[in-house]
Amino acid sequence: MDNLPLDDYSAHGNLHDEILGGAEEQLESMKTLLNKLEHNELADEMESFIEYVEERVLGHFDEEETSSGLYDRVVGREPALHDKVQGLKRDHELIRMMIDRMKEELSKDEVDFQKLIDHSVSIILVDELHSRDEENLLLGGSE
C-alpha cells in the first residue's frame, strides 16, 4: 500500500494522520452538501468517502493483520499484548460494519443522509482513537 515500515512509530503515525486528514476533509464537504440540500452530489460524495475508507483505512488494517503483519510481529515479541491487539482488531471490524451500514443506507430509495454523516463521524472517531491506541500500545508512543 504505502510501503512504509509499519513498525516505525513516526512513519506509522504520519500515515495515520494523513489518512484521517483525508477522511475529515471529505466529511466537511459532505456536511456542506447536506446543509445545502444537494442530495445527488452528497450521494456521490458519500460513495467517494466509502471508497476512500475501504482503500485507505481498511487497506491499512489489512496490512496490519496479515500473517506477517505488524500485529503478529508485535505479539510474537510481546505475547502479553495479545489481548490489546484483539481489541485493535475489533476496532477494524467496527469500521467495516459501519461501512456496510453506509452502503446499505445508500441503496435505499429514501436515503437518510444525516445517518450517513453520523456514521462517517463515527468512523473517523473510532479510527482516530484506534490509531492513537495502536501508536501508544504497539509502537512505543507515550500513553
Side-chain angles (χ1 to χ4, degrees), residues 13 18-19 25 38 43 65 68 73 77 92 98 105-106 115 125 128:
E18 176 188 320
I19 291 170
E25 284 177 25
E38 295 180 8
E65 289 187 33
S68 61
R73 291 193 307 272
R77 287 190 306 261
H92 295 180
M98 284 185 271
E105 184 64 35
L106 271 173
K115 180 188 283 189
L125 180 58
E128 180 180 8

Side-chain angles (χ1 to χ4, degrees), residues 1-15:
M1 184 173 140
D2 290 278
N3 297 324
L4 293 173
L6 294 180
D7 291 56
D8 180 87
Y9 173 79
S10 181
H12 203 134
N14 289 338
L15 178 60

Side-chain angles (χ1 to χ4, degrees), residues 11-54:
H12 203 134
N14 289 338
L15 178 60
H16 286 164
D17 291 344
E18 176 188 320
I19 291 170
L20 280 167
E24 288 169 341
E25 284 177 25
Q26 287 188 304
L27 175 61
E28 289 310 311
S29 175
M30 292 185 301
K31 286 178 178 179
T32 299
L33 292 169
L34 180 64
N35 288 335
K36 292 180 177 180
L37 301 175
E38 295 180 8
H39 293 151
N40 289 334
E41 294 86 351
L42 180 53
D44 291 343
E45 191 66 27
M46 289 284 174
E47 290 285 347
S48 177
F49 179 81
I50 289 168
E51 289 172 14
Y52 181 86
V53 170
E54 287 178 329

Side-chain angles (χ1 to χ4, degrees), residues 56-72:
R56 299 298 313 266
V57 178
L58 299 180
H60 178 66
F61 293 167
D62 291 343
E63 274 189 70
E64 293 171 334
E65 289 187 33
T66 63
S67 61
S68 61
L70 174 65
Y71 290 174
D72 281 356

